[in-house]
Amino acid sequence: GVGGGGGVRERDGAAGMATASVELSDLSLPDRPSYATDGDKIPIITNYIKVQFADTDVYQYHVVYDPPVDSKFLRHKLLEPHLVNNRAWRFDGAILFTSQKLPGDPGFFTTTKQNTDEEIVVRYQLTKTLPIEQCIPLLNIIFKTVLSKLKYARLGKNLYDPKRSVHIPQHKLELWPGYVTSVSQLDGGFMLQTNVSHKMLRTDTVMDMLLEIHKNSPNSVQTIATKEIVGHVVMTRYNNQTYRVDDIVWDESPRSTFCDRRGNKISYIEYYKDHYDIVITDCSQPLLLHRMKPKRGQPVQEERLTYLIPELCAMTGLSESTYGDFMVRKDIVAHTRLDPRDRVKAIKGFIANVRESQEATDELKRWNLQIDDETLQVEARRLKPEHVIFGGPTSQSNVMVNERADFSQAAGNCAPITPVSIDNWLLIYTSRDQNKVRDLVSCMREASRKLGMRVAEAVALPLRDDRTETYIRAIAGNMSDGVQLVVAVVPTERDDRYNAIKQLCYIDKPVGSQVIKSRTLSQPQKLRSIVQKIMLQINAKLGGELWACNVPLQNAMIIGIDTYHDPTSRAGCSVTGFVASTNRTITQFFSTSRQEDRGQEFSSCIQNMTTAALTAYQKDNGVLPERVIVFRDGVSEGQLAVVKQYEVDQFEAAFANIEGGYKPQLVVIVVQKRIRTRLFMSEGDQHRGRISNAPPGTVLDHTVTSDSLYDFFLVSQHVGKGTVTPSHYIVVHNSTTLQPDHIQKLAYKLTHMYWNWPGTVRVPSVCLYAHKIAYMHGQHLHRPASAELNRRLFYL
């Protein structure tokens, strides 16, 4: 094993980044046919800063050590004395960038380890000579160095300012503010994307957690500790490194020994005293285990392990129980949720800090770099507000969405397009909730009249207790062929009971189900509003259609795909959710899900799911779709190659398997939610004018989009507090005649059509439906739902 200092841990650098860029450059992705024009022009401030270059050549060397040196810090230290005459250089542990050529090619230095007199030969070989603007990995390293010159501390991949840390003592939390920066070559040139970030640290240690668990549950320490700690990230404060905990080693302790780099046996107690002057106080505590993964593009080597001491590790992030505490979230958000003006002010503060720091400006000057004094301002477009179509009289059914992209009032007052009556249903509850259930049924009947639904008398099943088996026995014992729906009112939130009810209703005896916490029914002033939402959800689960937008596409199938990863599963369960529309108005669907191999993001069963969806479409319409439009969620830019080369092939294989030479037009669009691009509405001068969030319908498809991809940013939601995040759409395959205007407007229309929310959502509705079914499968069912339910949105 490797000692607990974590010194051998590799960090992100040029070697890993080069692989992803090579994969991307090898792709045959569609070009942007033109720029879209629909919508009103609006001024937008971005979180990008333009980077200026002077002509500078960069020499890239591959460096090896003989004998090998594990510690990245030591590799750097051995190299540094031999580069004092080089004006500028950066080293990531394997790749060396210099602004001046080194003597000899290949060449070597001979150096000596301190304290051991061991001779080390450092060999280097020139691999590339490039203009600095072609060295994106180096530019990112330089700007991380600039942040370090501002005295920021590295935590994980990013840098934070411990001097401006915010303590929240009532929750034992500490927030470190910082910046996340990234240089990219974009449509408008080289840009530095800058975003405000916060790192949340717990002031209690892992050892404090273990002692608390032992105090509260002395007979279940190992079980509870494994659930609470394994899979989470910890920080060792003595060197500000972060590690993911992969296991707890209960039969090891700080007294255990390992071989140091000289081959001598040393205990963890001695190691920390010698290297950090830290005295470990509890010598019988277990050890935490971190398994180091090889970097992207590097060969899998012998497994390397890092052992950590619980009392020296602080947890990062929030535990599940803490995250569920409203007051904790409220106190955190007070410091982390920045409104648009404060966020722009913080980004401008970064520019000012760089300007005022001699060390930071010197670092940029050494490489002949310069950043603009202001954030980038561009012109975007705002699409026209959508009309949402409900059921009922024509004069009332077509509602224009307001400025906030909200239509909750219309959803409560208008009937669904297709209401479904509840004629045969079971109502299960504990006897102590009888009064709440009576009020629930009364409100259901009242809401049903407004929504055009009919609610018959329920088969009421009061229970003596709230045990899981009592609920399951009652449901199973009263299930008959005509039952449409099971409504279970539960006194508390318990995963085992919820999972058991869903497994019975969605796998064993396929029927719609609604689980309601009795606490939800305990606020009389909110009950009507809550029940109305429940009735809309039930209507959708039973196959009804709630609302739609006018989508002028004839004979087209819209598909959404997302992948769910179980964070607690040792086996690394991944589930792919697949949802496809089967009618012209995109209000009827075929839904399915499949479990994948460990940690797999890319589904190997898309071909089979597509074939099943096409069969359903043909059954409903008598013809196959002429266009198939796919929105693929949950894919990073580094994974576009797999979607293009692997998933697109599966769609085409599904088409080829259908008789008669079936070959529809196909467009595949990757949707990215977790991005750092921010767009702000600028009204007047950006120094004195009003700065707000970009409004719903804002589209930006130039300047800060990729210089090599067919992509655009879309803001679909209104955000009242904090800063709105746009979604990033990348077209990775297009054999259709759809133009950028068509694709952008289709994406925006679909964000209005998620039936769990009477307003716009961040991604097209089919993506959220795909996420919902994947989550239901992976988190609660642990196997596919019955095929009898695949024509309903049972998972909402």
Side-chain angles (χ1 to χ4, degrees):
V2 177
V8 300
R9 194 172 188 221
E10 295 292 344
R11 291 289 168 184
D12 55 297
M17 298 172 75
T19 305
S21 63
V22 169
E23 289 174 355
L24 197 57
S25 65
D26 288 344
L27 292 178
S28 176
L29 292 171
D31 294 326
R32 188 191 311 273
S34 61
Y35 291 100
T37 57
D38 275 5
D40 300 323
K41 294 178 179 178
I42 56 173
I44 290 290
I45 297 173
T46 71
N47 63 329
Y48 289 87
I49 305 163
K50 198 155 181 73
V51 180
Q52 310 287 352
F53 299 93
D55 288 340
T56 303
D57 279 341
V58 172
Y59 303 93
Q60 180 177 316
Y61 292 90
H62 181 63
V63 181
V64 294
Y65 292 77
D66 185 15
V69 176
D70 284 338
S71 166
K72 179 179 172 181
F73 172 78
L74 184 55
R75 293 200 295 270
H76 193 282
K77 196 172 180 181
L78 292 171
L79 188 63
E80 188 171 11
H82 300 278
L83 297 171
V84 290
N85 294 324
N86 213 295
R87 187 186 67 180
W89 61 276
R90 281 289 157 249
F91 182 52
D92 80 336
I95 305 297
L96 171 67
F97 298 99
T98 67
S99 60
Q100 295 164 249
K101 211 168 184 179
L102 299 180
D105 180 31
F108 68 91
F109 308 125
T110 302
T111 187
T112 305
K113 274 188 184 180
Q114 287 184 355
N115 304 326
T116 66
D117 294 330
E118 181 184 3
E119 189 175 87
I120 304 288
V121 178
V122 183
R123 304 185 189 278
Y124 57 85
Q125 183 164 8
L126 183 67
T127 55
K128 290 178 184 175
T129 303
L130 297 168
I132 192 167
E133 58 267 29
Q134 292 183 26
C135 298
I136 299 295
L138 170 62
L139 292 170
N140 281 300
I141 293 170
I142 291 169
F143 278 100
K144 278 190 168 59
T145 306
V146 167
L147 280 171
S148 69
K149 300 295 184 186
L150 299 175
K151 310 305 179 191
Y152 281 33
R154 180 189 279 271
L155 285 180
K157 293 182 178 180
N158 301 317
L159 290 103
Y160 299 88
D161 187 357
K163 301 186 297 298
R164 294 193 297 123
S165 63
V166 177
H167 291 267
I168 311 176
Q170 66 271 32
H171 305 307
K172 299 180 180 178
L173 295 174
E174 184 180 354
L175 287 171
W176 286 19
Y179 294 98
V180 180
T181 60
S182 176
V183 180
S184 304
Q185 184 174 359
L186 301 176
D187 192 39
F190 285 87
M191 305 285 178
L192 175 67
Q193 184 194 71
T194 309
N195 210 1
V196 180
S197 175
H198 291 85
K199 191 69 174 179
M200 190 183 309
L201 304 175
R202 309 242 286 269
T203 55
D204 56 340
T205 67
V206 177
M207 190 63 206
D208 293 331
M209 285 186 65
L210 291 172
L211 292 173
E212 186 70 18
I213 292 168
H214 186 270
K215 177 183 174 182
N216 296 331
S217 308
N219 298 322
S220 309
V221 174
Q222 294 192 13
T223 302
I224 297 173
T226 299
K227 183 179 178 183
E228 291 285 327
I229 297 168
V230 171
H232 292 272
V233 175
V234 299
M235 186 187 83
T236 48
R237 286 186 179 265
Y238 50 84
N239 61 359
N240 286 342
Q241 298 275 32
T242 54
Y243 303 86
R244 184 185 188 275
V245 178
D246 293 306
D247 206 350
I248 303 175
V249 188
W250 298 97
D251 55 356
E252 299 271 0
S253 75
R255 296 190 184 94
S256 302
T257 60
F258 64 95
C259 289
D260 65 13
R261 302 196 201 289
R262 302 176 193 173
N264 301 322
K265 277 198 169 185
I266 183 173
S267 71
Y268 293 94
I269 296 170
E270 296 167 321
Y271 176 85
Y272 281 97
K273 178 62 179 172
D274 292 348
H275 287 73
Y276 298 101
D277 197 26
I278 292 174
V279 177
I280 294 174
T281 57
D282 188 333
C283 298
S284 59
Q285 61 190 295
L287 301 183
L288 309 178
L289 173 65
H290 165 73
R291 293 187 178 90
M292 293 176 59
K293 293 182 179 178
K295 292 167 64 177
R296 185 197 298 268
Q298 293 187 345
V300 178
Q301 300 172 340
E302 182 182 348
E303 187 174 51
R304 303 174 74 186
L305 310 176
T306 299
Y307 293 88
L308 305 166
I309 310 298
E311 72 177 63
L312 303 181
C313 296
M315 298 290 288
T316 64
L318 294 175
S319 65
E320 285 185 23
S321 56
T322 310
Y323 185 77
D325 188 321
F326 172 76
M327 291 308 299
V328 175
R329 296 204 307 274
K330 182 181 176 183
D331 291 339
I332 291 169
V333 161
H335 299 285
T336 59
R337 181 185 282 166
L338 302 180
D339 65 28
R341 176 165 288 281
D342 288 339
R343 194 170 288 269
V344 171
K345 182 179 176 182
I347 296 168
K348 290 182 177 180
F350 165 78
I351 298 172
N353 291 342
V354 173
R355 288 270 184 268
E356 292 165 7
S357 167
Q358 191 61 50
E359 287 185 76
T361 52
D362 286 347
E363 176 68 19
L364 293 176
K365 284 178 182 176
R366 275 194 286 271
W367 295 99
N368 294 324
L369 297 176
Q370 190 177 340
I371 58 173
D372 279 3
D373 292 334
E374 295 288 349
T375 53
L376 182 72
Q377 190 160 359
V378 296
E379 196 174 68
R381 292 171 294 108
R382 186 180 186 188
L383 300 177
K384 289 181 173 59
E386 285 293 331
H387 285 74
V388 177
I389 302 164
F390 293 91
T394 306
S395 59
Q396 301 172 13
S397 64
N398 197 316
V399 177
M400 190 170 84
V401 174
N402 63 23
E403 283 287 308
R404 296 177 171 231
D406 170 79
F407 47 91
S408 54
Q409 187 173 357
N413 294 330
C414 299
I417 293 173
T418 309
V420 176
S421 294
I422 307 171
D423 297 321
N424 190 346
W425 59 298
L426 306 182
L427 178 59
I428 299 98
Y429 54 93
T430 59
S431 297
R432 63 177 177 269
D433 286 329
Q434 189 153 356
N435 291 336
K436 293 178 183 176
V437 169
R438 187 178 60 245
D439 293 340
L440 167 66
V441 173
S442 174
C443 285
M444 286 177 68
R445 289 215 171 92
E446 183 182 327
S448 69
R449 287 191 289 272
K450 188 181 288 188
L451 297 175
M453 300 170 65
R454 185 176 66 251
V455 179
E457 193 74 29
V459 177
L461 301 169
L463 307 176
R464 293 181 180 178
D465 58 69
D466 66 346
R467 291 185 300 169
T468 299
E469 54 268 31
T470 306
Y471 274 86
I472 297 305
R473 197 161 45 242
I475 296 170
N478 290 275
M479 191 74 75
S480 61
D481 289 342
V483 172
Q484 297 168 276
L485 174 71
V486 173
V487 175
V489 179
V490 296
T492 57
E493 189 171 358
R494 270 178 39 195
D495 283 348
D496 62 329
R497 179 171 55 212
Y498 183 87
N499 292 356
I501 292 171
K502 292 299 181 182
Q503 287 166 6
L504 175 63
C505 293
Y506 293 162
I507 299 172
D508 303 332
K509 298 180 182 295
V511 67
S513 71
Q514 187 79 27
V515 178
I516 304 170
K517 286 180 288 186
S518 62
R519 188 179 62 185
T520 308
L521 309 175
S522 60
Q523 298 172 286
Q525 67 277 16
K526 295 182 179 179
L527 188 58
R528 280 182 173 78
S529 171
I530 290 168
V531 171
Q532 189 171 60
K533 291 174 184 175
I534 290 172
M535 290 297 289
L536 288 171
Q537 199 174 63
I538 288 172
N539 192 75
K541 288 182 177 183
L542 297 182
E545 303 167 36
L546 300 189
W547 61 76
C549 288
N550 180 30
V551 179
L553 284 176
Q554 300 295 325
N555 204 12
M557 173 187 277
I558 314 293
I559 294 175
I561 302 175
D562 198 6
T563 306
Y564 164 79
H565 301 296
D566 184 353
T568 62
S569 170
R570 295 275 184 99
C573 159
S574 294
V575 177
T576 296
F578 181 104
V579 175
S581 66
T582 59
N583 68 339
R584 197 194 69 76
T585 54
I586 317 174
T587 54
Q588 294 173 11
F589 303 93
F590 171 86
S591 307
T592 187
S593 58
R594 294 290 184 274
Q595 188 163 319
E596 302 293 327
D597 294 333
R598 177 183 175 125
Q600 191 170 341
E601 180 71 54
F602 302 97
S603 179
S604 58
C605 50
I606 284 176
Q607 180 178 340
N608 294 335
M609 293 192 285
T610 303
T611 300
L614 290 169
T615 301
Y617 188 100
Q618 187 175 34
K619 183 179 179 182
D620 287 1
N621 300 279
V623 294
L624 289 164
E626 295 171 3
R627 290 193 188 102
V628 175
I629 301 167
V630 181
F631 290 93
R632 176 60 158 103
D633 202 350
V635 177
S636 69
E637 194 162 311
Q639 298 167 323
L640 294 178
V642 183
V643 174
K644 172 67 177 175
Q645 297 170 353
Y646 187 53
E647 294 192 356
V648 169
D649 285 351
Q650 290 193 61
F651 287 112
E652 292 179 336
F655 304 153
N657 283 343
I658 295 175
E659 294 179 0
Y662 176 61
K663 194 170 183 180
Q665 297 178 19
L666 173 68
V667 58
V668 180
I669 305 161
V670 166
V671 188
Q672 297 175 335
K673 302 185 296 290
R674 295 185 181 91
I675 62 171
R676 296 197 177 103
T677 296
R678 299 291 183 269
L679 306 177
F680 311 99
M681 179 87 162
S682 171
E683 299 176 31
D685 180 84
Q686 67 165 295
H687 295 285
R688 293 180 297 276
R690 182 171 176 266
I691 297 174
S692 58
N693 280 314
T698 298
V699 178
L700 182 57
D701 63 356
H702 61 86
T703 310
V704 298
T705 50
S706 171
D707 68 332
S708 59
L709 300 174
Y710 175 7
D711 64 334
F712 62 92
F713 294 100
L714 169 65
V715 175
S716 53
Q717 288 178 294
H718 169 80
V719 173
K721 295 180 181 179
T723 308
V724 72
T725 302
S727 294
H728 189 203
Y729 293 78
I730 305 170
V731 180
V732 297
H733 179 88
N734 188 15
S735 63
T736 73
T737 55
L738 294 175
Q739 295 301 303
D741 275 317
H742 302 144
I743 290 174
Q744 292 170 14
K745 287 195 283 189
L746 173 62
Y748 187 47
K749 285 175 181 290
L750 290 172
T751 64
H752 295 71
M753 297 171 66
Y754 179 60
W755 289 341
N756 251 357
W757 181 253
T760 50
V761 289
R762 277 190 65 189
V763 297
S765 55
V766 285
C767 292
L768 271 179
Y769 292 143
H771 170 76
K772 277 285 191 179
I773 191 172
Y775 184 84
M776 177 63 70
H777 179 152
Q779 184 72 15
H780 302 299
L781 303 184
H782 308 299
R783 56 190 192 273
S786 168
E788 293 180 35
L789 296 176
N790 64 20
R791 302 308 305 275
R792 303 182 198 168
L793 303 180
F794 64 89
Y795 40 81
L796 288 184

